[in-house]
Amino acid sequence: MTHATEKNPDDPTKVVTKLGVGYNDEFVLSGSLSLDSVRKINGRINEDGSEWRLGGSWLFNFGIVNFGFSRTEYDGDAYKNSYSVGTFVPLSALGVSTGKWQIFPMAGFNHNEGENYVEGEELTFTNDYVLLPNSSDGGYIGAFVLRPLTEQWTLLSVLSVSKGSNSYSGAWGGIGISYRITDKQSMNSFAFVSDDDYGRVEKISISYTYEFGT
């Protein structure tokens, strides 16, 4: 694997300590803590603590393995708690040449539980929807793509689909651009959409990240 200091700031296999702040209709704090050259702890939380993610990563020669716990809220008081384990595998580590494109196929398993809402004319006494408990076990596949445009600018994109028990299905994706200010500082803007049984999320974010260490 390429040494962390030679990787793009948005490379998902980069193991560093960093801190970031972003805005997508509310402020979000994110970061990672490097335990050594191959392991890190990752975290993310919004300003009121209603949505968060906590997990860890372990870098191997073939790619990086991630596990995490997260909570997401949707319109109508619906919510989802997720537990997942998965991996990013850069095609370059498999001996596949992709030129200036850096492609990271991803796959994993997850467990979701929470409450989603169903609509119906007979439910007028609850404003036309009612929350129902829901849970599922399944998996996801997708890809994360980086395309450096210059030494400073990088195009970002991601797309993933998921399927699970109890007829669960979902998809999410996004596109954005990153700007490297210095070797330790970067900014990016990203448009993101997700849609699954619990609800739909559409966000445009802008964030700043600072990397610590040598």
Side-chain angles (χ1 to χ4, degrees), residues 1 7 20-21 43 56 67 71 82 102 166 177 187 198 207 209:
M1 300 295 295
K7 293 181 178 180
V21 60
F67 67 90
R71 179 183 176 90
S82 295
Q102 299 177 34
N166 296 324
I177 195 163
M187 295 192 68
Y198 294 89
S207 61
T209 302

Side-chain angles (χ1 to χ4, degrees), residues 84-127:
S84 64
V85 58
T87 183
F88 288 96
V89 179
L91 286 182
S92 59
L94 303 177
V96 179
S97 176
T98 55
K100 293 184 178 180
W101 294 89
Q102 299 177 34
I103 302 175
F104 303 83
M106 59 186 186
F109 301 94
N110 54 26
H111 171 77
N112 301 314
E113 59 182 40
E115 292 185 337
N116 62 333
Y117 65 91
V118 294
E119 298 178 347
E121 294 181 359
E122 73 279 7
L123 302 174
T124 54
F125 60 90
T126 57
N127 296 321

Side-chain angles (χ1 to χ4, degrees), residues 24 72 74 80 158-161 170-176 190-196 199-205:
N24 55 16
T72 306
Y74 302 87
K80 177 178 68 177
V158 65
L159 180 65
S160 178
V161 294
W172 54 277
I175 188 168
F190 202 79
F192 175 84
V193 177
S194 71
D195 197 342
D196 65 12
R200 182 178 177 89
V201 175
E202 299 179 0
K203 291 183 178 181
I204 297 177
S205 66

Side-chain angles (χ1 to χ4, degrees), residues 61 65 91 104 151:
N61 288 333
V65 174
L91 286 182
F104 303 83
E151 290 186 1

Side-chain angles (χ1 to χ4, degrees), residues 107-164:
F109 301 94
N110 54 26
H111 171 77
N112 301 314
E113 59 182 40
E115 292 185 337
N116 62 333
Y117 65 91
V118 294
E119 298 178 347
E121 294 181 359
E122 73 279 7
L123 302 174
T124 54
F125 60 90
T126 57
N127 296 321
D128 293 331
Y129 69 85
V130 62
L131 290 171
L132 293 178
N134 193 8
S135 66
S136 69
D137 296 294
Y140 66 89
I141 58 171
F144 180 74
V145 179
L146 300 176
R147 173 57 164 90
L149 304 175
T150 68
E151 290 186 1
Q152 286 77 36
W153 293 97
T154 300
L155 180 69
L156 317 171
S157 61
V158 65
L159 180 65
S160 178
V161 294
S162 58
K163 294 288 289 184

